[in-house]
């Protein structure tokens, strides 16, 4: 086998604002739900994170030396609009993102910009309940249009919302807290559909005003495998995949809310009540590419099959290796997932917006020998190469993450980076950057456009 990665393949790496920037209360930034949640942990929080805000030159230099063709990062909504709406505009924030984008472009690194990555403005949650209110739709659209006006000449790859379905499953991430689980579910679905509508409006706007730009969401997409050859397990794995991941993709790539998804939500207690106009908004807001965050496979077992949609549980696959946080290592699962997506949405360009290995790490004499991450990259990219050979239109791969960052739930203990950041969960460390062994390994892959994957190791 040889490398089938296309010539202009976007070899990338990613981060998100609240996970790397730090400076959460600096230079006019407003508070987000991600700031609030991280400040409540009592551990390292968004005040420092990886302090990219004060290390941006160094980080761009590292990205350049790595040879990145693309850098995926997010704009912090509240660094631009501290109140979430247009009542206040923070020029310092605008300056900061121009600085990053200019720095990337000078080094021929394509910016891939996420508009909203888990960090919803707290002021809007206080004002009207955030995504629970229809007002959230126009405020998101205004924010997105603001970004497009300000950065639209330089940024041509946009991601609307990161992992909407993960936030809906964990509504605290949206600032929704209800002790009654049924009410919590109901509210999360209201937020879900407001996000769908807001996103569709932005997609429609971009497709009309910036027709050569790429616009779509970043969707969490693990591979779902049945726990056994029992058809009930096979069905429940498919139902979970349909209702968790394909529901989002169907809406954003087909403009269509499937009957199955409607039935599923109805059974769980939420009836979709979109008006005709809203159905139309979804139809007119079809993405021209999708970002998929793929890390792992999940094995699903039916626990109660007396319902239209069985209850299920996720179990461990005894044949697979797992991270300390129970994420399975399954490269073939990646090929399977991407071939499946392409069969369902033929020809749609896909960018892998996240994929990577997490581990607790220690630096020894200034070096980090992250053998597991190298193996993960090697094995998963080989399977991706086979998927591309089979005709899957993958245009880029962003390792998660570029530098070590605050994990969304486990702080700095759970490291993902190609670059080590000398800082621990108690906030101790020099914040100096140290390229790990995987950094050099990936550098070679990029330099050879995937051919080094086939060399002796
Ligand atoms: C995705 C998010 O859910 O997975 C990232 O988009 C996150 O923000 C990544 O960091 C890994 O999850 P975690 O919880 O290990 O940080």
């Amino acid at each position: 086998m040889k490398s089938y990665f296309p010539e202009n393949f976007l070899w990338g790496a990613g981060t998100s604002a609240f996970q790397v920037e730090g400076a959460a209360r600096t230079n006019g930034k407003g508070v987000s739900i991600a700031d609030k949640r991280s400040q409540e942990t009592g551990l390292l929080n968004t005040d420092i994170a990886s302090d990219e805000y004060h290390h941006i030159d160094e980080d761009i230099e590292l990205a350049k030396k790595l040879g990145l063709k693309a850098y995926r990062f997010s704009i912090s909504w509240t660094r631009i609009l501290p109140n979430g709406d247009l009542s206040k505009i923070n020029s310092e924030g605008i300056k900061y993102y121009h600085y990053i984008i200019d720095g990337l472009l000078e080094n021929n690194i394509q910016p891939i910009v996420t508009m909203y990555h888990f960090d919803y403005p707290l002021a809007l949650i206080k004002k009207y309940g955030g995504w629970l209110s229809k007002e959230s739709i126009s405020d998101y659209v205004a924010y997105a249009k603001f970004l497009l006006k300000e950065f639209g000449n330089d940024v041509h790859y946009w991601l609307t919302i990161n992992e909407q379905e993960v936030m809906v499953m964990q509504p605290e991430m949206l600032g929704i807290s209800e002790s009654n689980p049924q009410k919590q579910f109901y509210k999360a679905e209201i937020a879900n559909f407001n996000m769908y509508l807001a996103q569709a409006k932005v997609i429609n706007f971009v497709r009309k005003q910036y027709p050569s730009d790429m616009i779509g969401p970043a969707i969490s997409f693990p591979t779902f495998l049945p726990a056994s050859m029992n058809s009930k397990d096979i069905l429940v794995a498919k139902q979970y995949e349909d209702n968790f991941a394909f529901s989002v993709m169907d809406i954003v790539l087909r403009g269509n809310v499937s009957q199955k998804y409607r039935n599923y939500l109805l059974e769980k207690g939420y009836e979709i009540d979109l008006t005709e106009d809203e159905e139309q908004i979804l139809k007119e807001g079809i993405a021209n590419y999708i970002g998929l965050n793929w890390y792992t496979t999940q094995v699903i077992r039916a626990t109660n099959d007396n319902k239209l949609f069985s209850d299920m549980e996720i179990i461990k696959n005894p044949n697979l290796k797992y991270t300390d946080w129970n994420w399975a290592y399954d490269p073939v699962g990646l090929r399977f997932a991407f071939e499946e997506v392409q069969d369902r949405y033929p020809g749609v360009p896909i960018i892998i917006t996240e994929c990577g290995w997490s581990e607790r790490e220690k630096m020894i004499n200034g070096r980090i020998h992250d053998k597991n991450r190298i193996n993960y990259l090697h094995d998963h990219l080989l399977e991706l190469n086979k998927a591309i050979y089979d005709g899957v239109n993958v245009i880029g791969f962003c390792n998660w993450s570029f530098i070590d960052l605050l994990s969304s739930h486990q702080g700095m203990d759970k490291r993902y980076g190609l670059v080590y950041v000398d800082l621990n969960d108690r906030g101790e460390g020099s914040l100096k950057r140290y390229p790990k062994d995987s950094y050099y390994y990936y550098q070679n892959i990029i330099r050879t456009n995937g051919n080094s994957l086939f060399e002796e190791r």
Side-chain angles (χ1 to χ4, degrees):
M1 190 117 195
K2 59 172 187 150
S3 168
Y4 288 94
F5 290 96
E7 213 176 294
N8 296 325
F9 193 72
L10 293 170
W11 292 104
T15 60
S16 90
F18 81 94
Q19 295 180 275
V20 286
E21 283 180 3
R25 305 176 218 217
T26 308
N27 288 350
K29 183 184 169 307
V31 185
S32 73
I33 186 72
D35 294 325
K36 181 171 179 283
R37 283 164 50 76
S38 102
Q39 280 153 18
E40 285 164 359
T41 62
L43 295 170
L44 182 70
N45 63 37
T46 57
D47 284 341
I48 305 184
S50 314
D51 205 26
E52 185 159 87
Y53 193 79
H54 298 110
H55 290 74
I56 190 62
D57 291 330
E58 212 177 323
D59 289 350
I60 291 178
E61 188 59 27
L62 281 162
K64 173 186 163 190
K65 286 199 179 131
L66 176 56
L68 286 186
K69 308 286 183 216
Y71 178 50
R72 177 196 178 206
F73 64 99
S74 76
I75 289 184
S76 155
W77 187 334
T78 54
R79 198 179 289 290
I80 300 279
L81 306 178
N83 299 331
D85 56 22
L86 297 176
S87 60
K88 201 167 168 193
I89 291 162
N90 181 27
S91 57
E92 285 295 327
I94 298 172
K95 229 169 46 193
Y96 175 65
Y97 293 111
H98 273 301
Y99 191 79
I100 299 186
I101 292 166
D102 292 350
L104 294 172
L105 291 174
E106 272 161 29
N107 292 299
N108 296 318
I109 302 171
Q110 199 59 244
I112 300 175
V113 177
T114 316
M115 294 171 165
Y116 162 41
H117 191 125
F118 296 169
D119 53 355
Y120 194 78
L122 203 60
L124 296 184
I125 296 174
K126 289 191 177 147
K127 189 171 164 194
Y128 50 62
W131 288 113
L132 287 176
S133 161
K134 290 263 182 235
E135 281 184 68
S136 62
I137 300 176
S138 50
D139 277 335
Y140 175 79
V141 174
Y143 162 62
K145 285 188 178 170
F146 188 90
L147 295 187
L148 287 154
K149 194 159 163 241
E150 194 59 47
F151 306 108
N153 284 338
D154 298 324
V155 174
H156 302 294
Y157 292 84
W158 293 99
L159 296 162
T160 46
I161 301 182
N162 182 70
E163 294 193 350
Q164 172 176 337
E165 77 280 41
V166 168
M167 294 190 285
V168 171
M169 272 181 74
Q170 299 174 54
E172 320 78 61
M173 297 176 83
L174 300 163
I176 300 174
S177 53
E178 238 333 314
S179 50
N180 177 321
Q182 194 54 45
K183 281 192 188 154
Q184 177 86 336
F185 176 83
Y186 189 82
K187 285 189 172 177
E189 287 307 327
I190 293 176
N192 198 14
F193 280 87
N194 286 336
M195 279 192 270
Y196 281 132
L197 291 167
Q199 169 171 269
K201 284 188 166 196
V202 170
I203 291 174
N204 188 11
F205 178 79
V206 172
R207 297 215 49 188
K208 284 193 175 132
Q209 302 297 320
Y210 302 83
S212 54
D213 285 5
M214 304 300 272
I215 177 91
I219 298 168
S220 168
F221 184 50
T223 304
F224 298 100
L225 301 177
S228 74
M229 285 185 291
N230 184 326
S231 45
K232 286 174 183 163
D233 286 336
I234 297 172
L235 179 68
V236 82
K238 176 166 162 48
Q239 286 180 336
Y240 193 53
E241 176 181 62
D242 285 344
N243 295 321
F244 178 76
F246 285 143
S247 55
V248 192
M249 293 188 224
D250 281 355
I251 290 177
V252 87
L253 292 173
R254 294 176 169 165
N256 171 34
V257 186
S258 72
Q259 189 59 45
K260 196 195 293 182
Y261 186 42
R262 289 175 196 267
N263 295 349
Y264 168 73
L265 291 181
L266 190 60
E267 185 170 273
K268 304 260 285 177
Y270 180 81
E271 180 166 11
I272 300 177
D273 62 345
L274 293 167
T275 63
E276 258 176 51
D277 283 355
E278 288 173 336
E279 300 264 7
Q280 192 57 28
I281 290 170
L282 296 183
K283 283 198 174 47
E284 288 170 358
I286 294 187
N288 57 7
Y289 82 147
I290 38 166
L292 296 179
N293 295 348
W294 190 98
Y295 289 85
T296 189
T297 56
Q298 290 184 352
V299 180
I300 313 283
R301 179 163 65 198
T303 52
N304 173 352
D305 51 21
N306 295 324
K307 302 181 183 169
L308 192 54
F309 295 92
S310 312
D311 292 334
M312 62 88 191
E313 62 181 358
I314 298 175
I315 60 165
K316 258 185 139 167
N317 181 340
N319 304 315
L320 295 179
K321 179 165 104 188
Y322 281 81
T323 69
D324 287 351
W325 297 271
N326 277 334
W327 294 32
Y329 185 104
D330 187 12
V332 177
L334 179 145
R335 178 178 175 194
F336 176 82
F338 285 86
E339 299 206 354
E340 213 190 357
V341 168
Q342 196 79 102
D343 289 348
R344 191 175 175 112
Y345 312 103
V348 169
I350 301 167
I351 179 152
I352 300 187
T353 32
E354 292 182 27
C355 182
W357 178 255
S358 57
E359 189 156 333
R360 293 191 174 85
E361 282 164 335
K362 271 217 169 81
M363 188 166 57
I364 302 163
N365 301 327
R367 298 294 303 268
I368 298 91
H369 302 299
D370 53 342
K371 203 165 71 347
N372 289 333
R373 183 166 299 105
I374 290 177
N375 290 338
Y376 182 96
L377 264 169
H378 175 85
D379 295 348
H380 288 74
L381 287 174
L382 277 182
E383 292 302 320
L384 177 60
N385 187 53
K386 289 180 197 162
I388 293 174
Y389 178 59
D390 278 347
V392 183
N393 186 14
V394 180
I395 61 168
F397 173 89
C398 295
N399 184 73
W400 190 263
S401 50
F402 171 44
I403 59 174
D404 284 342
L405 43 69
L406 270 185
S407 126
S408 68
H409 294 82
Q410 283 95 6
M412 221 9 142
D413 201 28
K414 188 181 190 184
R415 290 179 184 265
Y416 281 96
L418 300 166
V419 176
Y420 185 85
V421 176
D422 179 25
L423 191 71
N424 66 21
D425 258 341
R426 293 180 299 283
E428 300 155 350
S430 64
L431 277 165
K432 271 176 120 177
R433 275 68 172 140
Y434 296 86
K436 302 180 190 177
D437 288 358
S438 59
Y439 174 97
Y440 298 106
Y441 179 74
Y442 192 44
Q443 188 179 50
N444 211 18
I445 294 177
I446 299 175
R447 195 179 48 75
T448 62
N449 201 32
N451 281 302
S452 67
L453 288 165
F454 300 92
E455 286 166 8
E456 277 291 311
R457 291 199 298 152

